[in-house]
Amino acid sequence: VQLVESGGGLVQPGGSLRLSCAASGFTFSSSTMRWFRQAPGKQRELVAVITSGGSTNYADSAKGRFTISRDNAKNTVYLQMNSLKPEDTAVYYCNFGGLGYDFWGQGTQVTVST
């Protein structure tokens, strides 16, 4: 299993970024995918989830600003982040996991600052 995140960077407050996670080594189209983030000094937290059927769920902090989506033809999951705030600064991780297994990407840094 391999998960490779990209798309992070430095953005001003109010700006947007789209993160991508390219997946390989498992049946992506039938898998639930998640985005987590970890800010300095804080625990890793779940940001968004998308099921194989396309159902989504978001942390309260992400609702109305972030959108998770997937392209099964490209084995890629996305996180569109709008109206970014300084408190969104974190390393963002893609996750594929379930009972007895848990895989993570290397993470991509998102910094929201002037």
mmCIF file of all heavy atoms in Angstrom, residues 12-46:
data_model
loop_
_atom_site.group_PDB
_atom_site.id
_atom_site.type_symbol
_atom_site.label_atom_id
_atom_site.label_comp_id
_atom_site.label_asym_id
_atom_site.label_seq_id
_atom_site.Cartn_x
_atom_site.Cartn_y
_atom_site.Cartn_z
ATOM 1 N N GLN A 12 -2.320 32.518 2.196
ATOM 2 C CA GLN A 12 -2.796 33.570 3.086
ATOM 3 C C GLN A 12 -4.170 33.206 3.656
ATOM 4 O O GLN A 12 -4.920 32.445 3.038
ATOM 5 C CB GLN A 12 -2.882 34.891 2.328
ATOM 6 C CG GLN A 12 -1.533 35.456 1.924
ATOM 7 C CD GLN A 12 -1.637 36.853 1.357
ATOM 8 O OE1 GLN A 12 -2.721 37.308 0.979
ATOM 9 N NE2 GLN A 12 -0.515 37.560 1.304
ATOM 10 N N PRO A 13 -4.502 33.756 4.801
ATOM 11 C CA PRO A 13 -5.858 33.531 5.345
ATOM 12 C C PRO A 13 -6.913 33.916 4.312
ATOM 13 O O PRO A 13 -6.794 34.932 3.629
ATOM 14 C CB PRO A 13 -5.892 34.454 6.560
ATOM 15 C CG PRO A 13 -4.459 34.547 6.993
ATOM 16 C CD PRO A 13 -3.663 34.545 5.723
ATOM 17 N N GLY A 14 -7.943 33.076 4.222
ATOM 18 C CA GLY A 14 -8.990 33.274 3.228
ATOM 19 C C GLY A 14 -8.722 32.596 1.905
ATOM 20 O O GLY A 14 -9.617 32.533 1.049
ATOM 21 N N GLY A 15 -7.522 32.085 1.733
ATOM 22 C CA GLY A 15 -7.159 31.436 0.485
ATOM 23 C C GLY A 15 -7.614 29.989 0.410
ATOM 24 O O GLY A 15 -8.293 29.480 1.311
ATOM 25 N N SER A 16 -7.223 29.345 -0.685
ATOM 26 C CA SER A 16 -7.646 27.965 -0.947
ATOM 27 C C SER A 16 -6.455 27.105 -1.335
ATOM 28 O O SER A 16 -5.466 27.601 -1.895
ATOM 29 C CB SER A 16 -8.671 27.936 -2.079
ATOM 30 O OG SER A 16 -9.837 28.656 -1.746
ATOM 31 N N LEU A 17 -6.594 25.828 -1.061
ATOM 32 C CA LEU A 17 -5.646 24.826 -1.510
ATOM 33 C C LEU A 17 -6.419 23.562 -1.826
ATOM 34 O O LEU A 17 -7.459 23.288 -1.206
ATOM 35 C CB LEU A 17 -4.595 24.502 -0.443
ATOM 36 C CG LEU A 17 -3.441 25.462 -0.210
ATOM 37 C CD1 LEU A 17 -2.621 25.001 0.991
ATOM 38 C CD2 LEU A 17 -2.563 25.591 -1.445
ATOM 39 N N ARG A 18 -5.892 22.765 -2.754
ATOM 40 C CA ARG A 18 -6.449 21.446 -3.001
ATOM 41 C C ARG A 18 -5.358 20.405 -2.790
ATOM 42 O O ARG A 18 -4.338 20.415 -3.488
ATOM 43 C CB ARG A 18 -7.020 21.295 -4.409
ATOM 44 C CG ARG A 18 -7.786 19.998 -4.570
ATOM 45 C CD ARG A 18 -8.434 19.826 -5.919
ATOM 46 N NE ARG A 18 -7.512 19.357 -6.940
ATOM 47 C CZ ARG A 18 -7.866 18.672 -8.021
ATOM 48 N NH1 ARG A 18 -9.141 18.371 -8.215
ATOM 49 N NH2 ARG A 18 -6.969 18.325 -8.913
ATOM 50 N N LEU A 19 -5.593 19.541 -1.817
ATOM 51 C CA LEU A 19 -4.666 18.458 -1.545
ATOM 52 C C LEU A 19 -5.084 17.228 -2.347
ATOM 53 O O LEU A 19 -6.268 16.989 -2.566
ATOM 54 C CB LEU A 19 -4.666 18.109 -0.059
ATOM 55 C CG LEU A 19 -4.412 19.258 0.923
ATOM 56 C CD1 LEU A 19 -4.365 18.721 2.341
ATOM 57 C CD2 LEU A 19 -3.151 20.011 0.570
ATOM 58 N N SER A 20 -4.089 16.460 -2.752
ATOM 59 C CA SER A 20 -4.331 15.204 -3.463
ATOM 60 C C SER A 20 -3.619 14.074 -2.735
ATOM 61 O O SER A 20 -2.568 14.282 -2.120
ATOM 62 C CB SER A 20 -3.793 15.281 -4.898
ATOM 63 O OG SER A 20 -4.415 16.315 -5.633
ATOM 64 N N CYS A 21 -4.187 12.900 -2.832
ATOM 65 C CA CYS A 21 -3.566 11.698 -2.279
ATOM 66 C C CYS A 21 -3.692 10.598 -3.315
ATOM 67 O O CYS A 21 -4.800 10.111 -3.589
ATOM 68 C CB CYS A 21 -4.227 11.286 -0.983
ATOM 69 S SG CYS A 21 -3.687 9.681 -0.346
ATOM 70 N N ALA A 22 -2.566 10.223 -3.900
ATOM 71 C CA ALA A 22 -2.540 9.154 -4.889
ATOM 72 C C ALA A 22 -2.321 7.830 -4.178
ATOM 73 O O ALA A 22 -1.358 7.679 -3.420
ATOM 74 C CB ALA A 22 -1.428 9.410 -5.893
ATOM 75 N N ALA A 23 -3.219 6.886 -4.422
ATOM 76 C CA ALA A 23 -3.194 5.612 -3.716
ATOM 77 C C ALA A 23 -2.842 4.475 -4.660
ATOM 78 O O ALA A 23 -3.179 4.498 -5.847
ATOM 79 C CB ALA A 23 -4.552 5.353 -3.076
ATOM 80 N N SER A 24 -2.174 3.473 -4.108
ATOM 81 C CA SER A 24 -1.855 2.280 -4.888
ATOM 82 C C SER A 24 -1.676 1.100 -3.940
ATOM 83 O O SER A 24 -1.453 1.280 -2.745
ATOM 84 C CB SER A 24 -0.591 2.492 -5.722
ATOM 85 O OG SER A 24 0.513 2.772 -4.896
ATOM 86 N N GLY A 25 -1.813 -0.092 -4.503
ATOM 87 C CA GLY A 25 -1.562 -1.295 -3.715
ATOM 88 C C GLY A 25 -2.770 -1.910 -3.055
ATOM 89 O O GLY A 25 -2.640 -2.895 -2.314
ATOM 90 N N PHE A 26 -3.936 -1.339 -3.314
ATOM 91 C CA PHE A 26 -5.165 -1.911 -2.775
ATOM 92 C C PHE A 26 -6.318 -1.488 -3.681
ATOM 93 O O PHE A 26 -6.141 -0.679 -4.597
ATOM 94 C CB PHE A 26 -5.408 -1.445 -1.335
ATOM 95 C CG PHE A 26 -5.576 0.042 -1.163
ATOM 96 C CD1 PHE A 26 -6.833 0.613 -1.017
ATOM 97 C CD2 PHE A 26 -4.473 0.889 -1.132
ATOM 98 C CE1 PHE A 26 -6.985 1.981 -0.850
ATOM 99 C CE2 PHE A 26 -4.612 2.260 -0.975
ATOM 100 C CZ PHE A 26 -5.882 2.808 -0.831
ATOM 101 N N THR A 27 -7.489 -2.043 -3.422
ATOM 102 C CA THR A 27 -8.648 -1.746 -4.262
ATOM 103 C C THR A 27 -9.258 -0.426 -3.820
ATOM 104 O O THR A 27 -10.154 -0.369 -2.968
ATOM 105 C CB THR A 27 -9.673 -2.877 -4.189
ATOM 106 O OG1 THR A 27 -9.023 -4.125 -4.465
ATOM 107 C CG2 THR A 27 -10.784 -2.644 -5.214
ATOM 108 N N PHE A 28 -8.761 0.637 -4.429
ATOM 109 C CA PHE A 28 -9.129 1.985 -4.004
ATOM 110 C C PHE A 28 -10.634 2.213 -4.112
ATOM 111 O O PHE A 28 -11.244 2.781 -3.207
ATOM 112 C CB PHE A 28 -8.381 3.001 -4.864
ATOM 113 C CG PHE A 28 -8.722 4.424 -4.573
ATOM 114 C CD1 PHE A 28 -8.114 5.086 -3.519
ATOM 115 C CD2 PHE A 28 -9.636 5.121 -5.355
ATOM 116 C CE1 PHE A 28 -8.422 6.403 -3.236
ATOM 117 C CE2 PHE A 28 -9.952 6.435 -5.087
ATOM 118 C CZ PHE A 28 -9.341 7.085 -4.023
ATOM 119 N N SER A 29 -11.230 1.784 -5.191
ATOM 120 C CA SER A 29 -12.631 2.113 -5.460
ATOM 121 C C SER A 29 -13.588 1.545 -4.412
ATOM 122 O O SER A 29 -14.691 2.067 -4.246
ATOM 123 C CB SER A 29 -13.032 1.602 -6.844
ATOM 124 O OG SER A 29 -12.874 0.201 -6.919
ATOM 125 N N SER A 30 -13.183 0.534 -3.690
ATOM 126 C CA SER A 30 -14.062 -0.065 -2.695
ATOM 127 C C SER A 30 -13.653 0.296 -1.269
ATOM 128 O O SER A 30 -14.127 -0.330 -0.312
ATOM 129 C CB SER A 30 -14.083 -1.583 -2.852
ATOM 130 O OG SER A 30 -12.794 -2.129 -2.674
ATOM 131 N N SER A 31 -12.806 1.313 -1.149
ATOM 132 C CA SER A 31 -12.237 1.663 0.155
ATOM 133 C C SER A 31 -12.689 3.018 0.654
ATOM 134 O O SER A 31 -12.773 3.977 -0.127
ATOM 135 C CB SER A 31 -10.710 1.654 0.076
ATOM 136 O OG SER A 31 -10.222 0.387 -0.319
ATOM 137 N N THR A 32 -12.947 3.102 1.956
ATOM 138 C CA THR A 32 -13.180 4.379 2.613
ATOM 139 C C THR A 32 -11.836 5.080 2.811
ATOM 140 O O THR A 32 -10.869 4.458 3.243
ATOM 141 C CB THR A 32 -13.863 4.169 3.969
ATOM 142 O OG1 THR A 32 -15.187 3.670 3.745
ATOM 143 C CG2 THR A 32 -13.948 5.467 4.751
ATOM 144 N N MET A 33 -11.805 6.352 2.479
ATOM 145 C CA MET A 33 -10.577 7.135 2.596
ATOM 146 C C MET A 33 -10.801 8.305 3.547
ATOM 147 O O MET A 33 -11.911 8.849 3.640
ATOM 148 C CB MET A 33 -10.141 7.659 1.223
ATOM 149 C CG MET A 33 -9.859 6.562 0.201
ATOM 150 S SD MET A 33 -8.509 5.480 0.682
ATOM 151 C CE MET A 33 -7.138 6.630 0.747
ATOM 152 N N ARG A 34 -9.739 8.682 4.234
ATOM 153 C CA ARG A 34 -9.828 9.739 5.236
ATOM 154 C C ARG A 34 -8.688 10.733 5.085
ATOM 155 O O ARG A 34 -7.589 10.360 4.671
ATOM 156 C CB ARG A 34 -9.777 9.130 6.645
ATOM 157 C CG ARG A 34 -10.889 8.135 6.934
ATOM 158 C CD ARG A 34 -10.658 7.412 8.243
ATOM 159 N NE ARG A 34 -11.712 6.450 8.543
ATOM 160 C CZ ARG A 34 -11.745 5.211 8.073
ATOM 161 N NH1 ARG A 34 -10.752 4.761 7.292
ATOM 162 N NH2 ARG A 34 -12.738 4.411 8.390
ATOM 163 N N TRP A 35 -8.960 11.963 5.467
ATOM 164 C CA TRP A 35 -7.919 12.976 5.650
ATOM 165 C C TRP A 35 -7.865 13.314 7.142
ATOM 166 O O TRP A 35 -8.890 13.572 7.768
ATOM 167 C CB TRP A 35 -8.240 14.245 4.862
ATOM 168 C CG TRP A 35 -7.949 14.150 3.401
ATOM 169 C CD1 TRP A 35 -8.850 13.924 2.395
ATOM 170 C CD2 TRP A 35 -6.684 14.322 2.767
ATOM 171 N NE1 TRP A 35 -8.219 13.929 1.172
ATOM 172 C CE2 TRP A 35 -6.881 14.182 1.376
ATOM 173 C CE3 TRP A 35 -5.389 14.578 3.226
ATOM 174 C CZ2 TRP A 35 -5.845 14.285 0.444
ATOM 175 C CZ3 TRP A 35 -4.363 14.686 2.314
ATOM 176 C CH2 TRP A 35 -4.593 14.536 0.934
ATOM 177 N N PHE A 36 -6.651 13.314 7.669
ATOM 178 C CA PHE A 36 -6.367 13.737 9.028
ATOM 179 C C PHE A 36 -5.426 14.938 8.954
ATOM 180 O O PHE A 36 -4.797 15.201 7.929
ATOM 181 C CB PHE A 36 -5.666 12.628 9.813
ATOM 182 C CG PHE A 36 -6.548 11.498 10.253
ATOM 183 C CD1 PHE A 36 -6.953 10.530 9.360
ATOM 184 C CD2 PHE A 36 -6.960 11.392 11.576
ATOM 185 C CE1 PHE A 36 -7.752 9.474 9.766
ATOM 186 C CE2 PHE A 36 -7.758 10.336 11.995
ATOM 187 C CZ PHE A 36 -8.156 9.366 11.093
ATOM 188 N N ARG A 37 -5.278 15.605 10.082
ATOM 189 C CA ARG A 37 -4.260 16.641 10.189
ATOM 190 C C ARG A 37 -3.697 16.652 11.593
ATOM 191 O O ARG A 37 -4.342 16.232 12.545
ATOM 192 C CB ARG A 37 -4.818 18.022 9.836
ATOM 193 C CG ARG A 37 -5.817 18.582 10.828
ATOM 194 C CD ARG A 37 -6.386 19.892 10.297
ATOM 195 N NE ARG A 37 -7.340 20.492 11.238
ATOM 196 C CZ ARG A 37 -8.054 21.571 10.975
ATOM 197 N NH1 ARG A 37 -7.942 22.187 9.793
ATOM 198 N NH2 ARG A 37 -8.878 22.065 11.886
ATOM 199 N N GLN A 38 -2.462 17.147 11.670
ATOM 200 C CA GLN A 38 -1.798 17.267 12.964
ATOM 201 C C GLN A 38 -1.059 18.588 13.026
ATOM 202 O O GLN A 38 -0.117 18.816 12.248
ATOM 203 C CB GLN A 38 -0.839 16.103 13.207
ATOM 204 C CG GLN A 38 -0.275 16.083 14.614
ATOM 205 C CD GLN A 38 0.386 14.769 14.953
ATOM 206 O OE1 GLN A 38 0.745 13.976 14.081
ATOM 207 N NE2 GLN A 38 0.539 14.505 16.241
ATOM 208 N N ALA A 39 -1.500 19.426 13.936
ATOM 209 C CA ALA A 39 -0.843 20.713 14.165
ATOM 210 C C ALA A 39 0.257 20.531 15.205
ATOM 211 O O ALA A 39 0.207 19.590 16.010
ATOM 212 C CB ALA A 39 -1.864 21.733 14.638
ATOM 213 N N PRO A 40 1.238 21.415 15.214
ATOM 214 C CA PRO A 40 2.328 21.304 16.188
ATOM 215 C C PRO A 40 1.809 21.261 17.618
ATOM 216 O O PRO A 40 0.986 22.089 18.020
ATOM 217 C CB PRO A 40 3.149 22.573 15.940
ATOM 218 C CG PRO A 40 2.859 22.935 14.530
ATOM 219 C CD PRO A 40 1.435 22.547 14.291
ATOM 220 N N GLY A 41 2.260 20.270 18.368
ATOM 221 C CA GLY A 41 1.880 20.161 19.759
ATOM 222 C C GLY A 41 0.487 19.620 20.007
ATOM 223 O O GLY A 41 0.033 19.597 21.152
ATOM 224 N N LYS A 42 -0.190 19.199 18.936
ATOM 225 C CA LYS A 42 -1.563 18.705 19.082
ATOM 226 C C LYS A 42 -1.677 17.278 18.559
ATOM 227 O O LYS A 42 -0.831 16.806 17.803
ATOM 228 C CB LYS A 42 -2.539 19.613 18.339
ATOM 229 C CG LYS A 42 -2.626 21.013 18.910
ATOM 230 C CD LYS A 42 -3.744 21.794 18.259
ATOM 231 C CE LYS A 42 -3.887 23.173 18.885
ATOM 232 N NZ LYS A 42 -5.006 23.942 18.271
ATOM 233 N N GLN A 43 -2.739 16.611 18.973
ATOM 234 C CA GLN A 43 -2.989 15.260 18.491
ATOM 235 C C GLN A 43 -3.503 15.302 17.058
ATOM 236 O O GLN A 43 -4.103 16.285 16.615
ATOM 237 C CB GLN A 43 -4.017 14.574 19.391
ATOM 238 C CG GLN A 43 -3.499 14.203 20.769
ATOM 239 C CD GLN A 43 -4.458 13.316 21.528
ATOM 240 O OE1 GLN A 43 -5.672 13.392 21.334
ATOM 241 N NE2 GLN A 43 -3.930 12.459 22.382
ATOM 242 N N ARG A 44 -3.246 14.207 16.361
ATOM 243 C CA ARG A 44 -3.773 14.075 15.003
ATOM 244 C C ARG A 44 -5.304 14.000 15.081
ATOM 245 O O ARG A 44 -5.853 13.298 15.935
ATOM 246 C CB ARG A 44 -3.207 12.817 14.350
ATOM 247 C CG ARG A 44 -3.409 12.726 12.863
ATOM 248 C CD ARG A 44 -2.610 11.587 12.269
ATOM 249 N NE ARG A 44 -1.176 11.803 12.392
ATOM 250 C CZ ARG A 44 -0.254 11.050 11.793
ATOM 251 N NH1 ARG A 44 -0.636 10.032 11.026
ATOM 252 N NH2 ARG A 44 1.023 11.295 11.956
ATOM 253 N N GLU A 45 -5.970 14.716 14.181
ATOM 254 C CA GLU A 45 -7.424 14.741 14.211
ATOM 255 C C GLU A 45 -8.002 14.436 12.836
ATOM 256 O O GLU A 45 -7.423 14.787 11.800
ATOM 257 C CB GLU A 45 -7.943 16.110 14.680
ATOM 258 C CG GLU A 45 -7.587 17.273 13.801
ATOM 259 C CD GLU A 45 -8.227 18.583 14.238
ATOM 260 O OE1 GLU A 45 -9.047 18.576 15.172
ATOM 261 O OE2 GLU A 45 -7.904 19.623 13.631
ATOM 262 N N LEU A 46 -9.154 13.790 12.852
ATOM 263 C CA LEU A 46 -9.848 13.466 11.619
ATOM 264 C C LEU A 46 -10.474 14.725 11.034
ATOM 265 O O LEU A 46 -11.122 15.484 11.744
ATOM 266 C CB LEU A 46 -10.920 12.417 11.893
ATOM 267 C CG LEU A 46 -11.764 11.962 10.712
ATOM 268 C CD1 LEU A 46 -10.911 11.258 9.668
ATOM 269 C CD2 LEU A 46 -12.882 11.039 11.205
#
